[in-house]
Amino acid sequence: MLDRLPFLVGLRYVRAKRRNHFISFISLTSMLGLMLGVAVLILVLSVMNGFDHELRTRILGMVPHTKIESRSGLVEWESLASELVERERVIGAAPYVEQQGMFSINGRNQGAMVNGIHPDWENQVSIIGEHMRQGSLDDLKPGEWNVVLGSMLARQLGVGAGDRVTLLVPEASITPAGVFPRLKRFTVSGIFSVGADLDANLAYAHIEDMQTLARLGEAVGGIRVELDDLFVAGQVTQDIINDLGPNYRGSDWTYSHGNLFQAIQMEKRMIALLLTVIIAVAAFNIVSTLVMVVTDKRADIAILRTIGATPRSIMGIFIVQGLAIGVMGIVIGVLIGVALALTISDVIGWVEAVLGIQFLDAGVYFISDLPSRLYWGDVSRIVAAAFGLTFLSTLYPAWRAARVQPADVLRYE
C-alpha cells in the first residue's frame, strides 16, 4: 500500500478542492502557461518548417543543385551528361547557356537572367514545366526565338503570351556605322510562376537560340546536375571535378542561396529558444504552487510520516502532483498545437476572407499563404523539454516536504 502512496495521495491532491483559492489560481496559471507555450512552439516551428520547405521546393527546384562548366566550353555535352547521370547521387543532368540581359518594350526596361535550355532535358533538373501558367516549354523551338518569362517579370514589362520583347545583352557589336549593343527580338510564348523571387528575374529560351546570341557555336555554358539529396551537393561537386580534371570547374547551390537557408535555420533555432522560455516560466510556476501546497499540507505530511511514510514517499507525492499539473498542460497544448499546425493555412484564409485583408502579400514575400509542415520529431522534442522542465520544477518543493519533521508540526496541532 505504501508503494502506491505517492500516486494515490498526489493525484488526490490534484483533484481536491483547495481552501486556499490562490493556490488553485497559481496551479491553473501554470497549466495554462504550459499549454500555451507548447501549442505556440509547435505552431511556430511548423510554420518555419513550412517556409523552409516552400523555399527549398520552389527556389531549389529551379536553381541547379550543382553546375559543371568547362574553361574551354562544352561541345560534346551529351556524352558528359550521360556520364554524370550514371554517378551515385545524381538523378538528372541538362545543358544550359546563361546570359544576363535587359528586356525592353514600349519604354519599359527590366533586367533578367535568360537561361538557354533544352526542353527535352530540362525536366530532369527543374520544376519549371510544372509551374507554367501560359504556354509550354515545348513552344521553345530552335530558330523561332521564343521566350518564357516569370510572372512578375511579365507583369513589370506589361506583356503576355504572343507579345514581342527586345533583349539587350551587355556586349557590343561593331558595325561600319559604329558600336551598337547586341539585341534580339523575342516572342513571349509562355509565362511561369513558382511563387518566389525567381519570377521577377528569370526567363527561358531555347539553348540553340542562346548559343547563337552568345556566339558560342556548338558549345554550351555548362551542365546542370540534380541530386537526390541537395545537402551533399558540395561533396558530390568536388568528386565530379576531381574525376573530370583541372579543365573543369563546378559550383553548387550553397554559393548562390546557402545564406538564405542558413538564415532560416538560425531563425528557427532562436525562435524555438525564445518560446522555450515561455514553457520554462510556466513550468517554474509549479515551484510556487507546490511550495504553497507543502506549507498548507504540513499537518497531512506529519500524519503520513507517523504512520510509516518515508521521506522518499513524501517526495513522490508532490512530484506526482506537479507532474500531473504539467502533463495536463502539455497534453492539451500538444492537441491544440497539432490542430493549429494542420489547419493554420485554412484558418488564416478564413480570417483574410472575413476581414478583407491579406497577411502575406505575394509581391513582398513571394508567397501568398501561410505554409505549415508538422514534424513529429519537433513535437516529441517539445514534449520532452516541457516534461523535463516540469520535473525539475517539482524537485525543490518535494525535497522541502520530505524535510518536514512530524514532531515539530504535531506539537502545535
PDB file of all heavy atoms in Angstrom, residues 15 24 67 121 229 231 277 324 335 397:
ATOM      1  N   ARG A  15      -6.947  16.604  -7.517  1.00  0.00           N
ATOM      2  CA  ARG A  15      -8.403  16.665  -7.701  1.00  0.00           C
ATOM      3  C   ARG A  15      -9.117  17.426  -6.591  1.00  0.00           C
ATOM      4  O   ARG A  15     -10.204  17.953  -6.791  1.00  0.00           O
ATOM      5  CB  ARG A  15      -8.988  15.252  -7.789  1.00  0.00           C
ATOM      6  CG  ARG A  15      -8.468  14.418  -8.941  1.00  0.00           C
ATOM      7  CD  ARG A  15      -9.325  13.165  -9.114  1.00  0.00           C
ATOM      8  NE  ARG A  15      -9.389  12.394  -7.884  1.00  0.00           N
ATOM      9  CZ  ARG A  15      -8.559  11.412  -7.576  1.00  0.00           C
ATOM     10  NH1 ARG A  15      -7.586  11.088  -8.426  1.00  0.00           N
ATOM     11  NH2 ARG A  15      -8.681  10.745  -6.444  1.00  0.00           N
ATOM     12  N   SER A  24      -5.057  27.430  -6.032  1.00  0.00           N
ATOM     13  CA  SER A  24      -5.752  26.902  -7.211  1.00  0.00           C
ATOM     14  C   SER A  24      -5.500  27.793  -8.418  1.00  0.00           C
ATOM     15  O   SER A  24      -5.309  27.303  -9.541  1.00  0.00           O
ATOM     16  CB  SER A  24      -7.261  26.820  -6.932  1.00  0.00           C
ATOM     17  OG  SER A  24      -7.513  25.959  -5.852  1.00  0.00           O
ATOM     18  N   LYS A  67      26.413  22.886 -60.752  1.00  0.00           N
ATOM     19  CA  LYS A  67      26.712  23.268 -62.131  1.00  0.00           C
ATOM     20  C   LYS A  67      28.142  22.859 -62.464  1.00  0.00           C
ATOM     21  O   LYS A  67      29.065  23.124 -61.701  1.00  0.00           O
ATOM     22  CB  LYS A  67      26.545  24.774 -62.328  1.00  0.00           C
ATOM     23  CG  LYS A  67      25.122  25.271 -62.160  1.00  0.00           C
ATOM     24  CD  LYS A  67      24.951  26.687 -62.697  1.00  0.00           C
ATOM     25  CE  LYS A  67      25.782  27.687 -61.948  1.00  0.00           C
ATOM     26  NZ  LYS A  67      25.517  29.081 -62.400  1.00  0.00           N
ATOM     27  N   TRP A 121      15.402  17.992 -72.043  1.00  0.00           N
ATOM     28  CA  TRP A 121      16.271  17.635 -70.927  1.00  0.00           C
ATOM     29  C   TRP A 121      15.927  18.372 -69.639  1.00  0.00           C
ATOM     30  O   TRP A 121      16.258  17.912 -68.546  1.00  0.00           O
ATOM     31  CB  TRP A 121      17.737  17.927 -71.281  1.00  0.00           C
ATOM     32  CG  TRP A 121      18.322  17.048 -72.336  1.00  0.00           C
ATOM     33  CD1 TRP A 121      17.999  17.018 -73.661  1.00  0.00           C
ATOM     34  CD2 TRP A 121      19.360  16.071 -72.169  1.00  0.00           C
ATOM     35  NE1 TRP A 121      18.754  16.098 -74.332  1.00  0.00           N
ATOM     36  CE2 TRP A 121      19.604  15.500 -73.439  1.00  0.00           C
ATOM     37  CE3 TRP A 121      20.109  15.638 -71.090  1.00  0.00           C
ATOM     38  CZ2 TRP A 121      20.564  14.510 -73.640  1.00  0.00           C
ATOM     39  CZ3 TRP A 121      21.062  14.653 -71.272  1.00  0.00           C
ATOM     40  CH2 TRP A 121      21.284  14.093 -72.543  1.00  0.00           C
ATOM     41  N   ASP A 229      19.879  14.299 -52.927  1.00  0.00           N
ATOM     42  CA  ASP A 229      19.942  14.986 -51.640  1.00  0.00           C
ATOM     43  C   ASP A 229      20.746  16.264 -51.834  1.00  0.00           C
ATOM     44  O   ASP A 229      21.955  16.222 -52.073  1.00  0.00           O
ATOM     45  CB  ASP A 229      20.591  14.093 -50.579  1.00  0.00           C
ATOM     46  CG  ASP A 229      20.624  14.753 -49.203  1.00  0.00           C
ATOM     47  OD1 ASP A 229      20.144  15.896 -49.070  1.00  0.00           O
ATOM     48  OD2 ASP A 229      21.131  14.120 -48.255  1.00  0.00           O
ATOM     49  N   PHE A 231      21.804  18.362 -49.823  1.00  0.00           N
ATOM     50  CA  PHE A 231      22.785  18.688 -48.793  1.00  0.00           C
ATOM     51  C   PHE A 231      24.117  17.959 -48.987  1.00  0.00           C
ATOM     52  O   PHE A 231      25.032  18.155 -48.201  1.00  0.00           O
ATOM     53  CB  PHE A 231      22.212  18.393 -47.409  1.00  0.00           C
ATOM     54  CG  PHE A 231      21.089  19.321 -47.036  1.00  0.00           C
ATOM     55  CD1 PHE A 231      19.778  18.881 -47.034  1.00  0.00           C
ATOM     56  CD2 PHE A 231      21.339  20.644 -46.720  1.00  0.00           C
ATOM     57  CE1 PHE A 231      18.742  19.734 -46.717  1.00  0.00           C
ATOM     58  CE2 PHE A 231      20.308  21.507 -46.404  1.00  0.00           C
ATOM     59  CZ  PHE A 231      19.006  21.052 -46.400  1.00  0.00           C
ATOM     60  N   VAL A 277      11.460  29.580 -23.399  1.00  0.00           N
ATOM     61  CA  VAL A 277      11.459  30.361 -22.163  1.00  0.00           C
ATOM     62  C   VAL A 277      10.037  30.485 -21.614  1.00  0.00           C
ATOM     63  O   VAL A 277       9.830  30.470 -20.391  1.00  0.00           O
ATOM     64  CB  VAL A 277      12.069  31.758 -22.416  1.00  0.00           C
ATOM     65  CG1 VAL A 277      11.934  32.641 -21.181  1.00  0.00           C
ATOM     66  CG2 VAL A 277      13.536  31.624 -22.806  1.00  0.00           C
ATOM     67  N   ALA A 324       1.424  15.904 -12.595  1.00  0.00           N
ATOM     68  CA  ALA A 324       0.037  15.817 -13.067  1.00  0.00           C
ATOM     69  C   ALA A 324      -0.415  17.148 -13.640  1.00  0.00           C
ATOM     70  O   ALA A 324      -1.052  17.209 -14.704  1.00  0.00           O
ATOM     71  CB  ALA A 324      -0.873  15.379 -11.920  1.00  0.00           C
ATOM     72  N   LEU A 335      -2.340  18.906 -28.248  1.00  0.00           N
ATOM     73  CA  LEU A 335      -3.549  18.747 -29.065  1.00  0.00           C
ATOM     74  C   LEU A 335      -3.901  20.043 -29.790  1.00  0.00           C
ATOM     75  O   LEU A 335      -4.200  20.040 -30.988  1.00  0.00           O
ATOM     76  CB  LEU A 335      -4.719  18.309 -28.179  1.00  0.00           C
ATOM     77  CG  LEU A 335      -4.597  16.912 -27.536  1.00  0.00           C
ATOM     78  CD1 LEU A 335      -5.780  16.645 -26.611  1.00  0.00           C
ATOM     79  CD2 LEU A 335      -4.500  15.839 -28.610  1.00  0.00           C
ATOM     80  N   PRO A 397      10.317  21.764  -4.144  1.00  0.00           N
ATOM     81  CA  PRO A 397       9.201  21.672  -3.196  1.00  0.00           C
ATOM     82  C   PRO A 397       9.074  20.275  -2.587  1.00  0.00           C
ATOM     83  O   PRO A 397       8.763  20.147  -1.391  1.00  0.00           O
ATOM     84  CB  PRO A 397       7.974  22.022  -4.049  1.00  0.00           C
ATOM     85  CG  PRO A 397       8.521  22.800  -5.200  1.00  0.00           C
ATOM     86  CD  PRO A 397       9.860  22.217  -5.470  1.00  0.00           C
TER      87      PRO A 397
END
